[in-house]
Amino acid sequence: MPTDDDRALQLLTSVPFGRVTTSMRAMPFVAPARHFVGADSVVLRMHKGLGYHRACGGSVVTYSADNFGSGERNLWSVQCTGTAQLTAPTPRETALFEAEPQPLQVDSEPFEPVYLRLVPQFVIVHTLDYAVERQVRHAASTII
């Protein structure tokens, strides 16, 4: 029988991007990352030029992803928390990342990948189930 952790990691495989969260100089920050789920870990690829990998490597991080922009009726959010380690991906892991195009630039800098391996210690799944078609509404301001 699948566990909640198994379900969370399965959901994570259905989206390619998420956000890694930790703190740098005692201030929280969130950075985008591409991921794939391995047998016992989540491997993250992010841009080296921003330096965020230095704050993440060896630190407790939370990696989160969701399907909120999908238009599906059943929405979910997954959070995996554990210690991230800087890593060199295996040839198989590199091939998985290279199967999808990587960005040419990040914040006007040439993209330079760096990899982190996260072995989740805590995994949380949140679901929002809509029984009927939902309409996405955004807050609007009135100009007077």
Side-chain angles (χ1 to χ4, degrees):
M1 171 177 272
T3 66
D4 285 344
D5 288 4
D6 295 333
R7 180 171 180 244
L9 296 176
Q10 182 62 36
L11 289 170
L12 209 54
T13 64
S14 68
V15 295
F17 295 95
R19 296 155 300 280
V20 62
T21 306
T22 193
S23 63
M24 189 162 54
R25 294 184 205 103
M27 299 297 291
F29 78 89
V30 179
R34 173 111 168 74
H35 70 268
F36 83 85
V37 178
D40 62 348
S41 63
V42 179
V43 181
L44 309 176
R45 181 184 74 188
M46 52 195 312
H47 177 52
K48 184 176 184 178
L50 300 175
Y52 295 152
H53 65 287
R54 289 190 295 273
C56 294
S59 297
V60 173
V61 303
T62 295
Y63 186 69
S64 61
D66 58 60
N67 72 339
F68 291 169
S70 69
E72 294 182 21
R73 291 183 184 187
N74 297 319
L75 302 178
W76 55 264
S77 173
V78 170
Q79 295 178 354
C80 300
T81 302
T83 302
Q85 298 297 331
L86 290 167
T87 190
T90 66
R92 179 185 167 276
E93 292 167 343
T94 300
L96 289 170
F97 279 116
E98 290 176 353
E100 297 289 327
Q102 67 182 23
L104 296 175
Q105 294 186 334
V106 175
D107 295 337
S108 301
E109 294 181 11
F111 178 73
E112 185 179 353
V114 65
Y115 301 89
L116 297 165
R117 185 173 309 278
L118 171 63
V119 177
Q121 301 298 308
F122 304 102
V123 179
I124 299 170
V125 178
H126 295 287
T127 59
L128 296 93
D129 298 322
Y130 290 86
V132 297
E133 186 82 20
R134 65 184 177 89
Q135 294 182 343
V136 178
R137 296 191 180 129
H138 298 280
S141 60
T142 304
I143 300 175
I144 300 177

